[in-house]
């Protein structure tokens, strides 16, 4: 027997959920589950993308740093070689000729190094952004 103090008891209030309401509620729950699953997949994909960006950027930074160290070593060696040659000059005209030659070589070297660093920066940036580009192309497919 139903409890007479329970306001939701079937004996007091005969309440039945209409089929349309039930279907509507089930559809809403189903859509919420689908939305959650999509959100979860997107979040996991984004985590992977962020990890890939940091890995690529770290690799690029290491490559860039190694290139800078290589250039610094070459420039230091060139400066020390110039200083040693300068100590062996016999006349002021020979010193000016050596100085001019060294300055020209250093200008050419620094120009080539700046170009190489710019190219490396472009490469590193492109590689670091690639995971984001790939992830975005999966999420935002062009309309057919």
């Amino acid at each position: 027997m139903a409890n007479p103090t329970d306001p939701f008891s079937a004996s007091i209030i005969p309440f039945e959920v209409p089929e349309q309401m039930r279907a509507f509620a089930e559809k809403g729950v189903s859509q919420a589950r689908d939305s959650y699953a999509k959100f979860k997949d997107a979040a996991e994909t984004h985590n992977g993308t962020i990890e890939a960006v940091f890995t690529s950027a770290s690799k690029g930074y290491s490559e860039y740093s190694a290139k800078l160290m290589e250039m610094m070593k070459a420039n230091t060696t060139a400066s020390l070689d110039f200083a040693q040659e300068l100590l062996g000059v016999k006349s002021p005209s020979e010193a000016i000729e050596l100085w001019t030659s060294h300055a020209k070589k250093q200008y050419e070297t620094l120009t080539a190094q700046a170009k190489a660093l710019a190219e490396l920066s472009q490469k590193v940036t492109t590689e670091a952004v690639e995971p984001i580009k790939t992830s975005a192309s999966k999420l935002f497919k062009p309309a057919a």
Side-chain angles (χ1 to χ4, degrees), residues 9-142:
S9 174
S11 65
I12 296 174
I13 303 173
F15 185 70
E16 207 174 288
V17 177
E19 186 59 36
Q20 289 177 333
M21 292 277 293
R22 183 183 311 249
F24 181 75
E26 287 175 0
K27 184 178 178 184
V29 169
S30 176
Q31 286 176 343
R33 283 186 180 139
D34 289 345
S35 295
Y36 173 75
K38 288 177 185 176
F39 174 77
K40 182 180 172 194
D41 289 344
E44 288 171 355
T45 299
H46 289 308
N47 286 344
T49 300
I50 290 169
E51 287 175 11
V53 167
F54 281 115
T55 300
S56 180
S58 176
K59 179 183 166 223
Y61 175 75
S62 295
E63 190 176 343
Y64 192 86
S65 294
K67 189 69 166 174
L68 277 176
M69 292 302 287
E70 176 187 319
M71 289 176 178
M72 286 174 37
K73 181 181 175 188
N75 292 339
T76 301
T77 301
S79 294
L80 291 173
D81 290 347
F82 169 68
Q84 187 173 2
E85 290 174 18
L86 197 56
L87 290 173
V89 297
K90 307 258 190 265
S91 67
S93 62
E94 192 180 342
I96 290 173
E97 184 180 321
L98 182 63
W99 198 289
T100 304
S101 173
H102 174 71
K104 182 180 175 188
K105 281 185 215 172
Q106 281 304 104
Y107 175 76
E108 291 169 356
T109 299
L110 291 174
T111 301
Q113 289 173 344
K115 183 179 177 185
L117 285 177
E119 290 171 356
L120 183 58
S121 295
Q122 180 68 35
K123 176 183 166 248
V124 166
T125 302
T126 301
E127 288 174 357
V129 172
E130 188 60 35
I132 295 171
K133 196 169 138 183
T134 302
S135 178
S137 69
K138 288 177 186 175
L139 289 175
F140 305 106
K141 294 185 171 111

